[in-house]
Amino acid sequence: LTSDDKQIERITEIKWVNHGIRSIPGTIQDLGFLVKLELEENDLTTLPSELKSLINLEDLQLHDNQLVALPAFIGYLNKLVHLDIHNNSLEELPLSMEDLQNLNFLNVANNKLNILPQSLCGLSTINSINLECNDLDATSVDVASCFHDYLGSQLNNDNCGGE
């Protein structure tokens, strides 16, 4: 990255797909005008705290990585409209998801989720959610019922393969 602010302002989208990326440089925090960040099909296991500086981010695609946790700072990204984190190893979602009041697309399919935070039901802007191929307990199935118009038969896991 250049220290020239005019150059940095022009960067509104980054697409680093299938490059074997294992970590994101901390200097990503300098990209305050970033609206779309695609980091799918890499080898990410964690996300740096500097991502919380991307306050204009609307579209975050982290699917097909090796993430085991979504950090609590995800709630700082309150302009997010599209969050795609399917095909990772997430076991839970942070409570701060409730702060994503502009979110209308959430894909958490094919993770290891067994619980969902009750606060997800407060996300009234969601019009597309995918919970398929997780191991949700009965309590989380109750939480998921607040999205019953969008879920269809997603919770039966019949087409998940594996075990």
Side-chain angles (χ1 to χ4, degrees), residues 16-21 39-45 61-67 84-90 107 109-111:
W16 290 330
V17 177
N18 197 14
H19 287 292
I21 296 170
L39 296 169
E40 66 263 25
E41 300 176 20
N42 283 294
D43 296 319
L44 296 170
T45 56
Q61 297 185 36
L62 298 166
H63 61 85
D64 295 286
N65 274 284
Q66 299 171 22
L67 296 172
D84 192 343
I85 49 180
H86 76 275
N87 290 342
N88 277 285
S89 296
L90 301 172
N107 187 351
N110 200 26
N111 275 284

Side-chain angles (χ1 to χ4, degrees), residues 1-12 27 29-34:
L1 295 176
T2 175
S3 61
D4 179 358
D5 288 342
K6 297 287 186 209
Q7 292 295 327
I8 290 176
E9 288 177 15
R10 293 182 189 159
I11 301 173
T12 58
T27 54
Q29 70 184 348
D30 298 331
L31 301 177
F33 294 91
L34 204 61

Side-chain angles (χ1 to χ4, degrees), residues 81-86 93 97 103-111 113 115-134 136 140-141 143-155:
V81 174
H82 183 112
L83 178 59
D84 192 343
I85 49 180
H86 76 275
L93 297 175
M97 294 279 292
L103 197 65
N104 71 32
F105 177 92
L106 176 62
N107 187 351
V108 294
N110 200 26
N111 275 284
L113 297 174
I115 57 172
L116 293 174
Q118 180 71 37
S119 59
L120 278 183
C121 287
L123 298 178
S124 59
T125 56
I126 288 185
N127 59 33
S128 179
I129 187 168
N130 189 344
L131 302 170
E132 288 180 315
C133 302
N134 281 289
L136 298 175
S140 288
V141 171
V143 170
S145 69
C146 62
F147 301 108
H148 69 322
D149 291 343
Y150 311 112
L151 291 176
S153 62
Q154 286 185 31
L155 300 177

